[in-house]
Amino acid sequence: MPFLTFTPFQYLRIVRASAAYDLAVTWVFALPWTFAWVYGLLQSIATAFSLPGDFPPLNAAHMLMANLLGSVVIVWSLARWLQPSVQLGRLDALARGLFATWQIYAVSQGASALILAFTMFEVIFGLLQLTRVLEEAH
């Protein structure tokens, strides 16, 4: 039994909020020039706070993967924003579980611990979207 329950309206607001978060955070990954800028910014933050792990020098393969990820997440986010549903919320929870798993794995393999800030949002939105939706009486 899930720890929280929401009305369908509340649940769809959570689905839309997760889509808005994804759009706000990942659009910079979709374009080469914005990703290069944000990658440098993340490197600077990690260095300023002496966080463990590293950001390797950015190369063409990294750029391609980031741009592909950003492009797909933008489309997925727009689908959830424009037509939120319980089914899309559940699928997004699954995707967030996968993202969190691979982010934790990357940090365990030496990637910057700064990634865990993103992981926190993956876990929060994933858990919220796994909650029970109360049936409303008509």
Side-chain angles (χ1 to χ4, degrees):
M1 176 127 170
F3 61 97
L4 291 173
T5 56
F6 296 105
T7 66
F9 177 77
Q10 291 170 322
Y11 184 83
L12 296 182
R13 287 187 63 177
I14 292 168
V15 173
R16 288 186 96 195
S18 75
Y21 165 79
D22 287 345
L23 284 169
V25 171
T26 60
W27 74 268
V28 293
F29 287 71
L31 304 170
W33 47 91
T34 54
F35 179 66
W37 172 78
V38 82
Y39 193 82
L41 179 64
L42 293 172
Q43 278 181 313
S44 297
I45 292 169
T47 301
F49 289 98
S50 301
L51 297 175
D54 68 333
F55 278 90
L58 190 58
N59 65 35
H62 296 138
M63 185 69 73
L64 172 64
M65 296 308 230
N67 296 158
L68 291 173
L69 166 81
S71 299
V72 169
V73 171
I74 285 172
V75 173
W76 174 242
S77 299
L78 288 173
R80 290 178 292 127
W81 178 262
L82 296 171
Q83 293 189 346
S85 69
V86 173
Q87 182 179 21
L88 291 182
R90 298 292 191 250
L91 289 170
D92 191 56
L94 173 62
R96 289 180 184 283
L98 292 168
F99 270 55
T101 299
W102 302 134
Q103 289 170 346
I104 292 166
Y105 176 76
V107 171
S108 77
Q109 298 301 304
S112 174
L114 183 59
I115 291 170
L116 298 176
F118 296 98
T119 307
M120 176 183 66
F121 287 98
E122 299 298 333
V123 170
I124 290 169
F125 277 122
L127 290 175
L128 285 173
Q129 291 178 120
L130 286 175
T131 59
R132 183 170 172 225
V133 178
L134 290 174
E135 296 297 323
E136 289 184 336
H138 294 293

